[in-house]
Structures are given as structure tokens and as C-alpha cells.
Amino acid sequence: MIRCLALFSLVAAAALPTAPLVQDPAAAPGAEHTQLAKLAGDWTVVTTFRFGPGGPAQEFQGKAHGKVILGGRFVQFDETAVEFGAPVERQRTWGFNNQSRKYESTWMYTGSTAVMRLTGDAAADGKLIAGSATFAGDKGTAQDFTWTLACIDDDHFSSTLVAPAHGQGQAATFHALYTRAAAK
């Protein structure tokens, strides 16, 4: 038995790689990740919801904390607010996919068990990112949206999500304006 364990230990040790694993250089954060990292910090959030282009606007107040995660590859936002009289929590993660050359994001919140996936491109000046978003709705039916992320300045940015009304304009718009919270 001892000989078997010794032989097993020798075989297992020989199977271990002698050089450390090297990460793919294409996975390193770049300029786009550096730009997104500027969104880290504490924010106050004013979200305006409007159903239909002429519908009345409702405004909600919230707070967000953004932090850089996974070695600078993503920025994760944890948000809280009260919307329509109920507390809401959201988590959003923003990143840039070096391989596809697209911005990507996932959104989740306490009003759903679905995960929304967003992809988009930056405008030439890099201050506006726009694209499409989708999540699986009733019986797996795709629920599609358009979205923008506008970097206004170092202390302000906005996020807009628009639901189409299937040939009748916009069904609903959520526009969130983020203002950097004062240092404590």
C-alpha cells in the first residue's frame, strides 16, 4: 500500500506543469476598460420613467456604488432605490469585450428573475455607447430594448433603456442620471 501511494505521488508530481500558466495577452484590460473604470465610486441616481412618448413622467431617487472588479476588466454597480412605492435593488456589470470589440453589460434587479444582456458600440468620441438589450420573457420570448450609456463628464453619466412598442414608437423609457456623491 505504501509503495502504491509513493508511486501515485511520483506520477501526480510528474503530471504537474513545470511552468506557470500564462494568461492570454488579448484578455488584458485596455483603454476602453480604463474609461469604464472612471465610473467607479459612489453615486446618487435620479431615474425617470415614462410610459409612452406623451405619458407622464415618474421620478425615483436612488444610490449606487460602482467598483472595478476582475483585475480592471469590469465595473460592477450595486444600486438601491424606491420605485413605485417599493424598495428595489439592481446589479449592473459593464465591460468591454476585446475579442468582439463590443461593450457588454448584464443587468439584474429584484423586480425580475431574468438577466438582461446588453451589447453596443461607442461613438467616435467615446462618450456615448449605444446598442441593443434583451432578456427572455414569458415562455422564452425575447424582450428587446435599445440602450445608451452617456459619459457626460467625470461626475455625471446617464443610462437610458427604451422598450419598443412594436411599430407604435416607444412603449417605455427608463432614464437614469448618475451624479458623483460628495466625498465623505
Side-chain angles (χ1 to χ4, degrees):
M1 174 99 131
I2 293 176
R3 286 185 192 152
C4 286
L5 286 175
L7 180 61
F8 176 77
S9 297
L10 287 173
V11 171
L16 292 175
T18 56
L21 295 176
V22 177
Q23 186 168 351
D24 180 0
E32 294 86 357
H33 303 94
T34 301
Q35 189 69 18
L36 285 172
K38 292 179 182 179
L39 301 179
D42 292 313
W43 302 85
T44 60
V45 186
V46 177
T47 301
T48 304
F49 170 76
R50 184 181 310 273
F51 190 78
Q58 297 182 50
E59 194 172 279
F60 310 110
Q61 307 291 320
K63 295 180 180 190
H65 175 73
K67 64 182 177 182
V68 176
I69 61 171
L70 301 175
R73 289 165 180 81
F74 302 93
V75 177
Q76 176 182 307
F77 276 82
D78 294 307
E79 301 183 24
T80 58
V82 174
E83 295 179 354
F84 304 107
V88 173
E89 294 178 45
R90 287 187 283 272
Q91 188 175 71
R92 299 176 178 178
T93 302
W94 296 93
F96 181 77
N97 183 330
N98 289 343
Q99 299 300 313
S100 69
R101 305 299 302 161
K102 299 266 186 197
Y103 287 87
E104 298 178 347
S105 185
T106 57
W107 291 13
M108 299 167 283
Y109 83 118
T110 54
S112 175
T113 57
V115 176
M116 183 179 290
R117 291 169 182 83
L118 302 86
T119 59
D121 297 295
D125 67 2
K127 292 188 178 228
L128 180 72
I129 303 167
S132 61
T134 190
F135 71 89
D138 188 36
K139 298 179 183 162
T141 304
Q143 304 297 306
D144 299 321
F145 300 81
T146 59
W147 65 274
T148 59
L149 176 70
C151 298
I152 301 165
D153 59 38
D154 287 347
D155 295 322
H156 301 88
F157 73 94
S158 68
S159 172
T160 304
L161 183 67
V162 179
H166 306 290
Q168 301 175 10
Q170 300 173 355
T173 301
F174 281 91
H175 175 77
L177 177 62
Y178 294 75
T179 301
R180 193 174 298 277
K184 295 178 182 179

